[in-house]
Protein backbone atom coordinates (compact mmCIF):
# COMPACT_ATOMS: atom_id res chain seq x y z
CA UNK A 1 0.00 0.00 0.00
CA UNK A 2 1.32 3.41 -0.96
CA UNK A 3 1.35 5.92 1.90
CA UNK A 4 0.78 9.54 0.94
CA UNK A 5 3.45 11.87 2.29
CA UNK A 6 3.06 15.55 3.06
CA UNK A 7 4.73 17.95 0.67
CA UNK A 8 8.10 19.19 2.06
CA UNK A 9 6.91 22.80 1.89
CA UNK A 10 3.81 21.97 3.97
CA UNK A 11 5.93 20.07 6.49
CA UNK A 12 8.31 23.02 6.81
CA UNK A 13 5.37 25.42 7.32
CA UNK A 14 4.02 23.23 10.14
CA UNK A 15 7.42 23.18 11.83
CA UNK A 16 7.52 26.96 11.71
CA UNK A 17 4.06 27.33 13.28
CA UNK A 18 4.43 28.92 16.76
CA UNK A 19 3.78 26.68 19.72
CA UNK A 20 2.87 27.07 23.39
CA UNK A 21 5.23 26.29 26.26
CA UNK A 22 3.89 26.72 29.81
CA UNK A 23 1.51 29.43 28.64
CA UNK A 24 4.10 31.26 26.53
CA UNK A 25 3.50 31.54 22.77
CA UNK A 26 6.62 31.27 20.66
CA UNK A 27 5.15 33.63 18.06
CA UNK A 28 5.68 36.54 20.47
CA UNK A 29 8.76 38.19 21.91
CA UNK A 30 8.76 37.34 25.62
CA UNK A 31 9.20 39.82 28.50
CA UNK A 32 8.17 38.51 31.93
CA UNK A 33 6.14 41.08 33.88
CA UNK A 34 6.08 40.86 37.68
CA UNK A 35 2.46 42.03 37.56
CA UNK A 36 0.71 38.68 37.48
CA UNK A 37 -0.87 36.05 39.72
CA UNK A 38 -1.94 32.38 39.52
CA UNK A 39 -5.16 31.30 37.85
CA UNK A 40 -7.74 29.00 39.38
CA UNK A 41 -9.35 28.17 36.03
CA UNK A 42 -8.54 28.40 32.31
CA UNK A 43 -9.42 31.66 30.52
CA UNK A 44 -12.74 31.78 28.66
CA UNK A 45 -12.72 35.41 27.55
CA UNK A 46 -10.35 37.67 25.60
CA UNK A 47 -10.42 41.41 26.35
CA UNK A 48 -8.97 43.78 23.74
CA UNK A 49 -7.51 47.13 24.80
CA UNK A 50 -5.72 50.00 23.10
CA UNK A 51 -2.79 51.92 24.54
CA UNK A 52 -0.19 54.52 23.58
CA UNK A 53 2.32 56.22 25.86
CA UNK A 54 2.48 59.17 25.91
CA UNK A 55 -1.08 59.35 24.57
CA UNK A 56 -0.98 59.40 20.77
CA UNK A 57 2.74 58.59 20.59
CA UNK A 58 3.43 55.30 18.84
CA UNK A 59 6.39 52.94 18.42
CA UNK A 60 8.15 53.91 21.65
CA UNK A 61 9.21 51.72 24.57
CA UNK A 62 7.01 53.25 27.28
CA UNK A 63 4.30 50.57 27.21
CA UNK A 64 6.87 47.81 27.59
CA UNK A 65 8.47 49.70 30.48
CA UNK A 66 5.09 50.24 32.13
CA UNK A 67 4.36 46.51 32.15
CA UNK A 68 7.86 45.75 33.48
CA UNK A 69 7.64 48.43 36.24
CA UNK A 70 10.61 50.31 34.77
CA UNK A 71 8.81 53.38 33.41
CA UNK A 72 10.43 56.60 34.65
CA UNK A 73 7.67 59.11 35.57
CA UNK A 74 10.13 61.96 34.93
CA UNK A 75 10.39 61.13 31.22
CA UNK A 76 7.07 62.80 30.34
CA UNK A 77 4.51 64.89 32.19
CA UNK A 78 1.73 62.39 31.44
CA UNK A 79 3.68 59.60 33.14
CA UNK A 80 3.32 61.18 36.58
CA UNK A 81 -0.19 59.75 36.91
CA UNK A 82 1.31 56.29 36.35
CA UNK A 83 3.73 56.52 39.27
CA UNK A 84 3.36 53.36 41.35
CA UNK A 85 0.76 51.85 38.98
CA UNK A 86 1.13 48.10 38.57
CA UNK A 87 -0.55 46.79 35.44
CA UNK A 88 0.13 44.31 32.67
CA UNK A 89 -1.42 42.51 29.73
CA UNK A 90 -0.73 39.08 28.36
CA UNK A 91 0.08 40.43 24.90
CA UNK A 92 0.91 43.74 23.22
CA UNK A 93 0.50 44.13 19.44
CA UNK A 94 2.81 46.84 18.10
CA UNK A 95 1.97 49.09 15.18
CA UNK A 96 4.10 47.03 12.80
CA UNK A 97 2.45 43.76 13.91
CA UNK A 98 5.20 42.64 16.27
CA UNK A 99 3.67 40.78 19.22
CA UNK A 100 5.16 40.99 22.72
CA UNK A 101 4.09 38.72 25.58
CA UNK A 102 4.36 39.77 29.23
CA UNK A 103 2.35 37.16 31.16
CA UNK A 104 1.80 33.47 30.50
CA UNK A 105 -1.70 32.57 29.39
CA UNK A 106 -1.85 30.15 32.32
CA UNK A 107 -1.59 33.11 34.74
CA UNK A 108 -3.69 36.24 35.39
CA UNK A 109 -2.48 39.57 34.06
CA UNK A 110 -3.65 42.85 35.56
CA UNK A 111 -5.41 44.47 32.63
CA UNK A 112 -9.18 44.77 33.12
CA UNK A 113 -9.50 46.34 36.58
CA UNK A 114 -13.03 46.64 37.94
CA UNK A 115 -14.97 44.75 35.30
CA UNK A 116 -17.77 42.30 34.56
CA UNK A 117 -19.15 40.39 31.60
CA UNK A 118 -22.49 38.61 31.38
CA UNK A 119 -23.01 39.07 35.10
CA UNK A 120 -19.62 37.74 36.14
CA UNK A 121 -17.12 40.11 37.79
CA UNK A 122 -13.31 40.16 38.04
CA UNK A 123 -12.58 39.53 34.38
CA UNK A 124 -8.84 39.31 35.09
CA UNK A 125 -9.47 35.96 36.76
CA UNK A 126 -10.86 34.31 33.64
CA UNK A 127 -9.61 36.29 30.65
CA UNK A 128 -6.62 37.00 28.46
CA UNK A 129 -5.81 40.67 27.90
CA UNK A 130 -4.39 41.98 24.64
CA UNK A 131 -3.22 45.58 24.26
CA UNK A 132 -3.14 47.02 20.73
CA UNK A 133 -0.85 49.97 20.14
CA UNK A 134 -2.99 52.97 19.27
CA UNK A 135 -5.24 55.69 20.61
CA UNK A 136 -8.81 54.83 21.52
CA UNK A 137 -11.24 55.94 18.85
CA UNK A 138 -8.54 56.09 16.16
CA UNK A 139 -7.84 53.57 13.42
CA UNK A 140 -5.39 50.68 13.65
CA UNK A 141 -2.86 49.39 11.12
CA UNK A 142 -3.48 46.51 8.72
CA UNK A 143 -0.41 44.75 10.14
CA UNK A 144 -2.02 44.83 13.57
CA UNK A 145 -5.22 43.18 12.37
CA UNK A 146 -3.22 40.42 10.68
CA UNK A 147 -1.07 39.84 13.76
CA UNK A 148 -4.06 40.00 16.09
CA UNK A 149 -6.01 37.44 14.05
CA UNK A 150 -3.03 35.07 14.01
CA UNK A 151 -2.57 35.46 17.75
CA UNK A 152 -6.27 34.97 18.50
CA UNK A 153 -6.46 31.83 16.37
CA UNK A 154 -3.59 30.42 18.42
CA UNK A 155 -5.26 31.42 21.72
CA UNK A 156 -8.59 29.89 20.72
CA UNK A 157 -6.87 26.62 19.87
CA UNK A 158 -5.03 26.58 23.20
CA UNK A 159 -7.74 27.76 25.61
CA UNK A 160 -11.56 27.33 25.85
CA UNK A 161 -12.28 30.91 24.74
CA UNK A 162 -15.97 31.61 24.16
CA UNK A 163 -15.95 35.35 23.37
CA UNK A 164 -13.73 38.25 22.37
CA UNK A 165 -14.78 41.67 23.68
CA UNK A 166 -13.35 45.14 24.29
CA UNK A 167 -12.35 46.85 27.51
CA UNK A 168 -15.22 49.24 26.81
CA UNK A 169 -17.63 46.32 27.04
CA UNK A 170 -16.46 44.87 30.36
CA UNK A 171 -16.00 48.29 32.00
CA UNK A 172 -18.64 50.52 30.35
CA UNK A 173 -18.60 54.13 31.50
CA UNK A 174 -15.09 53.70 32.91
CA UNK A 175 -13.20 52.63 29.78
CA UNK A 176 -13.68 53.36 26.08
CA UNK A 177 -10.97 51.33 24.39
CA UNK A 178 -10.29 50.12 21.82
CA UNK A 179 -13.02 52.51 20.69
CA UNK A 180 -14.89 53.40 17.53
CA UNK A 181 -11.82 53.14 15.32
CA UNK A 182 -11.49 49.40 15.87
CA UNK A 183 -13.08 47.35 13.08
CA UNK A 184 -14.79 44.47 14.85
CA UNK A 185 -16.30 43.26 11.59
CA UNK A 186 -12.82 42.86 10.10
CA UNK A 187 -11.71 40.78 13.08
CA UNK A 188 -14.89 38.67 12.91
CA UNK A 189 -14.24 37.88 9.25
CA UNK A 190 -10.66 36.87 10.00
CA UNK A 191 -11.89 34.51 12.72
CA UNK A 192 -14.96 33.20 10.89
CA UNK A 193 -13.61 29.64 10.92
CA UNK A 194 -13.08 29.71 14.69
CA UNK A 195 -15.77 28.64 17.14
CA UNK A 196 -15.72 31.89 19.06
CA UNK A 197 -17.99 34.90 19.55
CA UNK A 198 -16.64 38.26 18.39
CA UNK A 199 -18.37 41.30 19.82
CA UNK A 200 -20.54 42.96 18.64
CA UNK A 201 -21.24 40.52 15.80
CA UNK A 202 -21.71 37.33 17.76
CA UNK A 203 -20.99 33.92 16.35
CA UNK A 204 -21.47 30.57 17.98
CA UNK A 205 -20.13 30.31 21.52
CA UNK A 206 -18.90 27.19 23.26
Amino acid sequence: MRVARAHPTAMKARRREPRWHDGWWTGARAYASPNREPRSEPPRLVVLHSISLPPGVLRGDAVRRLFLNTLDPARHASFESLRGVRVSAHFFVRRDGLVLQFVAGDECAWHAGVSSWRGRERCNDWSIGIEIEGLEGRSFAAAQYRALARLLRAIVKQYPIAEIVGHEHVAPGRKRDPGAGFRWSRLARALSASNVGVWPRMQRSR
Side-chain angles (χ1 to χ4, degrees):
M1 181 178 65
R2 184 177 180 180
V3 178
R5 299 184 65 182
H7 191 278
T9 302
M11 293 174 65
K12 186 179 293 185
R14 283 199 294 269
R15 285 197 297 267
R16 287 199 301 264
E17 190 68 23
R19 299 178 180 275
W20 293 88
H21 298 289
D22 298 324
W24 293 89
W25 186 56
T26 60
R29 186 173 296 177
Y31 297 91
S33 172
N35 305 328
R36 64 188 193 278
E37 57 189 294
R39 282 197 194 279
S40 60
E41 62 179 296
R44 300 183 181 277
L45 183 71
V46 172
V47 180
L48 303 184
H49 308 251
S50 63
I51 189 171
S52 59
L53 292 176
V57 176
L58 308 175
R59 301 180 177 88
D61 68 346
V63 174
R64 176 174 60 84
R65 291 185 176 277
L66 175 66
F67 292 164
L68 298 177
N69 297 345
T70 61
L71 182 65
D72 181 2
R75 280 182 55 186
H76 193 273
S78 67
F79 294 170
E80 183 58 38
S81 63
L82 299 174
R83 185 185 295 274
V85 170
R86 298 292 181 258
V87 293
S88 61
H90 292 90
F91 296 94
F92 176 43
V93 181
R94 300 298 307 256
R95 208 70 181 174
D96 60 0
L98 178 66
V99 179
L100 313 183
Q101 184 172 3
F102 293 91
V103 177
D106 299 344
E107 296 181 296
C108 296
W110 302 345
H111 61 96
V114 177
S115 54
S116 66
W117 182 246
R118 298 196 181 279
R120 184 174 179 185
E121 299 183 345
R122 295 177 56 90
C123 291
N124 282 347
D125 293 349
W126 53 288
S127 71
I128 285 179
I130 302 176
E131 292 278 3
I132 311 167
E133 188 173 31
L135 194 62
E136 63 185 38
R138 303 287 180 85
S139 61
F140 296 86
Q144 291 179 295
Y145 284 103
R146 290 192 295 269
L148 180 60
R150 181 176 184 238
L151 169 60
L152 286 169
R153 283 192 288 266
I155 291 173
V156 169
K157 287 181 181 178
Q158 181 70 7
Y159 298 103
I161 302 298
E163 293 179 289
I164 301 168
V165 300
H167 202 187
E168 60 194 303
H169 303 129
V170 301
R174 187 175 69 83
K175 294 294 182 179
R176 296 181 297 174
D177 59 308
F182 186 77
R183 295 172 59 185
W184 289 98
S185 59
R186 179 171 182 167
L187 182 63
R189 287 194 300 271
L191 299 176
S192 60
S194 301
N195 188 25
V196 65
V198 179
W199 185 266
R201 192 184 101 182
M202 304 309 295
Q203 301 170 2
R204 292 182 301 162
S205 62
R206 295 181 180 182

